[in-house]
Amino acid sequence: LKSFYPALSNFFANSPQTFQKAWDQFAQLMVFLTVGTIIGGWEMAPGIITFFYGPDFTPSILVFRLLVVVIGISFLSYPYAIALVIANQQRKNFILVLAAAVLNILLDLVLIPRYGLYGAAVATVISSLLVLVLMIALFKKKIGFNPLDKKLWSALVVSLLCGILMHGILSLPIVASGNVLVACTLGAVV
């Protein structure tokens, strides 16, 4: 994934059209990774937690699922963050991330006393979503092209269809009740 950075930097400086094409490919790749990670991680959470930590840790399944969503949001944010750095907007990008960190702390202060570790996980999801939304807005303003174009939406639709297939396969009783490592491999193949 880091191999996109030098190419994007060169294209940004020399060919805006090529930059947009390369960035679109990068963003589409991240959409594919995001959807697969979230659906696979969400489906596999009970098996993963039980396999590695035993049944005593089943209350952590929801937290695991929420943090898988955070990983997905981070995947989606990455192309925007890279583009903002390339466009010399790293200071503004840092301010966005800092604001989200402050929001996370404030939400933790409110949610943790009432909801415990679930509140902390929800706070992290909310602050991560804020970073993504603000990065998209800053990207559109500073980079100058629509980051949510038809190609990205098409990638999302294809990813979701693959995700539905993954969900179906991972939900099969023979897969769901089997070895978690085999199920994770099947999910990755889809």
Side-chain angles (χ1 to χ4, degrees):
L1 296 178
K2 292 187 182 212
S3 64
F4 276 92
Y5 184 83
L8 287 172
S9 293
N10 181 39
F11 297 148
F12 185 79
N14 300 314
S15 175
Q17 282 185 325
T18 308
F19 172 80
Q20 183 170 356
K21 287 178 185 177
W23 187 89
D24 283 345
Q25 290 175 347
F26 184 32
Q28 290 167 22
L29 173 65
M30 296 312 288
V31 165
F32 289 126
L33 289 174
T34 296
V35 172
T37 299
I38 290 175
I39 292 174
W42 192 277
E43 282 294 320
M44 295 301 306
I48 291 170
I49 295 296
T50 304
F51 180 80
F52 287 105
Y53 303 107
D56 292 343
F57 285 83
T58 55
S60 66
I61 291 170
L62 178 59
V63 172
F64 181 89
R65 285 177 164 164
L66 292 171
L67 294 177
V68 165
V69 171
V70 171
I71 291 169
I73 294 168
S74 296
F75 283 173
L76 289 177
S77 299
Y78 189 62
Y80 299 100
I82 291 296
L84 291 170
V85 169
I86 290 169
N88 201 27
Q89 299 298 314
Q90 58 270 24
R91 187 176 190 286
K92 290 179 181 169
N93 189 41
F94 173 75
I95 291 169
L96 296 179
V97 174
L98 183 62
V102 170
L103 174 65
N104 192 302
I105 291 167
L106 294 173
L107 288 171
D108 282 345
L109 292 172
V110 172
L111 297 174
I112 290 174
R114 185 166 183 166
Y115 301 106
L117 69 145
Y118 304 109
V122 168
T124 304
V125 170
I126 292 169
S127 59
S128 296
L129 276 173
L130 175 68
V131 167
L132 175 60
V133 169
L134 294 175
M135 276 187 184
I136 291 170
L138 184 60
F139 178 96
K140 190 171 184 176
K141 182 179 178 183
K142 297 296 182 180
I143 305 295
F145 68 84
N146 184 8
L148 302 173
D149 63 3
K150 185 179 175 182
K151 291 177 185 178
L152 198 59
W153 288 110
S154 296
L156 180 61
V157 169
V158 170
S159 297
L160 289 172
L161 291 173
C162 290
I164 291 168
L165 178 62
M166 179 191 303
H167 168 74
I169 291 171
L170 293 177
S171 298
L172 292 171
I174 194 165
V175 176
S177 64
N179 183 302
V180 72
L181 298 176
V182 171
C184 285
T185 303
L186 281 174
V189 168
V190 174

